[in-house]
Amino acid sequence: MRKGLGVFFIIVFILTSTVCYVSGDNKNELTKKEKVNLYFSDKETLNLLSIKTEVTYDGNSIEKKIVEKLKKDSKDKKYDYIRTIGPDITLLSLETRDGTAYVNFSSENLNGGSAEETLMIDSIVLSLTELKHISKVQFLIDGEIEESLMGHISIKEPFDREDVTSKYKSIKN
């Protein structure tokens, strides 16, 4: 009887430990940090600035965290940059399959001029392709491939890093 009771308590301990781990009580083990170059617009909206940034994420959501960071203006006096994704633009999902990141935006509030659209596309493509497992970025609107994000640039095909870097004489660091 004592052996059975001991085995019971061991099983309960193992199950409790597993549930605590899965439920997130060990957040330090699930949280990851990675330094990547993110690309923001300069104040004149003429060029992109490469900013080395630490991205904190949990699990496999680094791609979403990168896009979230591109929606924020500089608060650091060392860097003088502006966001490339408007604060009212909603990212619906972001999945990576076979080396391509599928960035799905809501059509709501997705508007702007050609410069805004160019900087948004370019900064997302350059930032996401900094990750070793991403070589292309396909933009979607409400889950579908459309003509363009804001009416100026075709998004029917995925973009790779060379599509973007070939437009710039240099990207400032």
Side-chain angles (χ1 to χ4, degrees):
M1 177 94 171
R2 282 188 164 183
K3 274 188 174 179
L5 194 56
V7 170
F8 173 76
F9 282 117
I10 290 172
I11 291 172
V12 168
F13 174 76
I14 291 170
L15 289 174
T16 304
S17 298
T18 303
V19 168
C20 287
Y21 179 77
V22 171
S23 69
D25 288 347
N26 295 323
K27 288 188 181 197
N28 290 340
E29 293 178 30
L30 298 175
T31 301
K32 299 176 184 176
K33 292 181 181 183
E34 189 170 333
K35 286 198 174 203
V36 294
N37 289 317
L38 300 184
Y39 295 82
F40 294 91
S41 174
D42 63 6
K43 287 288 186 180
E44 294 80 30
T45 65
L46 298 173
N47 210 346
L48 291 175
L49 304 172
S50 172
I51 310 283
K52 183 79 120 180
T53 307
E54 186 170 80
V55 178
T56 303
Y57 63 101
D58 54 351
N60 58 3
S61 63
I62 188 169
E63 298 92 339
K64 289 180 185 176
K65 290 292 184 180
I66 286 173
V67 173
E68 288 173 15
K69 284 193 172 278
L70 295 175
K71 290 179 75 166
K72 296 180 180 172
D73 283 328
S74 170
K75 291 183 178 150
D76 186 345
K77 303 240 184 253
K78 180 179 174 185
Y79 300 108
D80 195 21
Y81 64 81
I82 58 175
R83 68 177 164 255
T84 56
I85 303 172
D88 295 334
I89 294 175
T90 303
L91 177 68
L92 296 175
S93 64
L94 201 161
E95 295 179 32
T96 302
R97 293 187 310 269
D98 301 323
T100 301
Y102 294 85
V103 182
N104 182 20
F105 288 108
S106 168
S107 58
E108 189 174 326
N109 299 317
L110 195 57
N111 50 49
S114 61
E116 288 174 280
E117 185 176 16
T118 299
L119 289 170
M120 181 175 162
I121 288 171
D122 293 353
S123 72
I124 292 170
V125 170
L126 289 175
S127 297
L128 289 177
T129 58
E130 284 283 325
L131 302 173
K132 292 177 184 168
H133 65 281
I134 297 176
S135 58
K136 294 183 178 187
V137 177
Q138 175 66 61
F139 291 95
L140 306 171
I141 300 174
D142 298 324
E144 302 292 328
I145 294 177
E146 297 290 343
E147 291 289 325
S148 70
L149 286 177
M150 299 176 186
H152 309 282
I153 298 170
S154 174
I155 60 167
K156 286 188 162 230
E157 298 293 326
F159 293 83
D160 64 23
R161 197 169 183 82
E162 191 173 311
D163 294 332
V164 173
T165 56
S166 64
K167 294 184 213 175
Y168 297 94
K169 291 181 182 175
S170 68
I171 294 175
K172 298 178 184 176
N173 290 316

